[in-house]
Amino acid sequence: MAGFFRIQNLAATSFFVVVSLAIAQNDEQLTRTEEKLTTDRDFYDQWMKLINVQAEQLEEQSLDYPLDYVIRDLAQCPETKIQPGLDTNAVQPQDIAIYAEMGQLSSYCPSNHTLLSAGILGSCKQRSHTMKLPSLPKMLQIRGADLKTIDANHLEDPLPDQAKSIADEITRIPGYEEMWKMIVITATIQDGTASETGQTAIEVLAAIQELGQLLPKKTFVVVLRTSGSGLWRDASHANEACRTQLSKWKVHNKFNYNSVWDQVEIIVQKNYLRPNFSVEILPLFRDAALNNLPNM
Ligand SMILES: *[C@@H]1O[C@H](CO)[C@@H](O)[C@H](O)[C@H]1NC(C)=O
Ligand SMILES: *[C@@H]1O[C@H](CO)[C@@H](O)[C@H](O)[C@H]1NC(C)=O
């Protein structure tokens, strides 16, 4: 499976960073942002600058690194011939029957420049597996998975609650224990609280513990590590509108220690590399930073 994640990582890294971080927020905040655009002229100007930069980046990205090749190439990969998945080490894409995602990065905001220019932001609760770009479930399906995708959770809930809600939905599926389940946790600082004990890594661990208890059989959990504050610092540095929007996350940002993530990784390695319940932590946004951003 490792190759899969690498591809997904590349796609996600290059594409999502600016779009998601700049406007990732809940619908209430979106409404407030839409209002602010009508009442705060400076913010309006900063905002227009931001969405123009985004539109240019998206266009450049689609010319320089079009992502359709991912699905095309995947379709041509030869079949690997190994024993059908008896434990998590041997799980193949086609073995996975149930798929779920949780965490703020599992949703996205539509990026329609026409609408954004008119100050209409749209809902940021769109699920990443519904987007046109290559998503992990789409890749699994290309490789023969007959997937049931679960959307049971509320992204504003704490991660352990989201884990419970997903597990609750899965346990209603007849025969779920005999099916391979893949659950992807893509948390950002917005999934934690601004405190030592509620920071994102700790919440992620609590979510893993819930899943381990509720779905102990044939479950494969993938966590994207988003430690450090580089991304947030850079995003707010790059654009005034981002700075305004991200300022309320300043304290959260402080509580996203690398050392805590390191500890969580150690705990996971000790406890959750079982044949029937395995957790893999991928360092996608470990110490992440945005390169090549223009200085304001
Ligand atoms: C963007 O929104 C406008 C107005 O609703 C619509 O006409 C247009 O097709 C949309 N563009 C894309 C690329 O979805
Ligand atoms: C894993 O769970 C499956 C399904 O319940 C079971 O058949 C199998 O024996 C378990 N494997 C191990 C190593 O516990």
Side-chain angles (χ1 to χ4, degrees), residues 18-295:
V18 173
V19 178
S20 305
L21 281 184
I23 47 180
Q25 46 192 327
N26 65 31
D27 283 353
E28 195 186 316
Q29 290 164 311
L30 282 180
T31 312
R32 243 181 279 144
T33 305
E34 286 183 345
E35 266 172 38
K36 199 172 161 81
L37 284 170
T38 64
T39 54
D40 182 338
R41 179 72 216 191
D42 286 343
F43 181 72
Y44 177 88
D45 291 340
Q46 294 159 6
W47 169 259
M48 288 301 147
K49 235 191 249 173
L50 172 66
I51 61 167
N52 287 332
V53 169
Q54 279 188 359
E56 277 164 29
Q57 284 181 341
L58 285 172
E59 197 182 322
E60 265 176 44
Q61 149 89 37
S62 63
L63 291 175
D64 294 346
Y65 306 101
L67 293 171
D68 2 338
Y69 81 91
V70 176
I71 294 289
R72 206 176 46 234
D73 288 3
L74 263 180
Q76 289 165 4
C77 285
E79 293 273 334
T80 45
K81 289 205 170 58
I82 53 173
Q83 281 284 315
L86 294 174
D87 72 43
T88 43
N89 285 321
V91 181
Q92 299 204 59
Q94 68 268 24
D95 298 332
I96 295 171
I98 300 173
Y99 179 90
E101 290 176 334
M102 52 190 281
Q104 292 285 341
L105 283 181
S106 66
S107 68
Y108 73 101
C109 316
S111 181
N112 180 325
H113 192 241
T114 315
L115 292 177
L116 288 174
S117 311
I120 301 165
L121 274 55
S123 171
C124 278
K125 286 196 177 129
Q126 322 227 14
R127 297 297 177 137
S128 62
H129 66 82
T130 63
M131 68 185 173
K132 275 191 267 158
L133 294 167
S135 62
L136 192 48
K138 243 183 253 171
M139 294 180 197
L140 295 170
Q141 276 159 338
I142 287 279
R143 297 306 296 169
D146 183 9
L147 279 191
K148 180 164 178 48
T149 305
I150 306 288
D151 268 345
N153 54 331
H154 297 282
L155 294 170
E156 267 82 56
D157 290 348
L159 291 174
D161 292 349
Q162 292 187 43
K164 274 186 222 155
S165 137
I166 285 173
D168 188 43
E169 192 77 10
I170 289 178
T171 52
R172 285 178 210 185
I173 299 171
Y176 74 94
E177 283 187 305
E178 301 305 320
M179 299 171 174
W180 276 105
K181 298 161 280 292
M182 181 172 191
I183 299 167
V184 179
I185 305 179
T186 58
T188 72
I189 54 172
Q190 291 163 295
D191 289 296
T193 59
S195 71
E196 291 280 349
T197 51
Q199 60 185 292
T200 304
I202 307 251
E203 292 291 292
V204 166
L205 183 60
I208 292 170
Q209 283 163 342
E210 285 292 346
L211 293 173
Q213 270 177 20
L214 299 169
L215 301 169
K217 285 187 179 167
K218 292 198 155 188
T219 302
F220 187 49
V221 179
V222 178
V223 178
L224 300 189
R225 174 169 170 166
T226 52
S227 54
S229 58
L231 269 183
W232 297 83
R233 201 177 42 232
D234 291 355
S236 59
H237 167 74
N239 182 283
E240 288 264 19
C242 290
R243 173 152 45 218
T244 311
Q245 295 305 86
L246 291 177
S247 57
K248 73 180 280 268
W249 298 103
K250 232 181 199 155
V251 188
H252 282 69
N253 192 8
K254 206 178 99 200
F255 292 103
N256 194 26
Y257 298 126
N258 261 310
S259 55
V260 177
W261 274 99
D262 289 344
Q263 279 170 23
V264 167
E265 282 203 33
I266 291 166
I267 294 168
V268 162
Q269 271 167 16
K270 273 198 187 140
N271 298 287
Y272 296 112
L273 290 178
R274 305 182 205 140
N276 252 326
F277 185 87
S278 183
V279 179
E280 180 149 1
I281 299 188
L282 302 172
L284 173 60
F285 287 136
R286 182 183 176 148
D287 297 321
L290 298 170
N291 292 321
N292 309 319
L293 280 180
N295 282 338

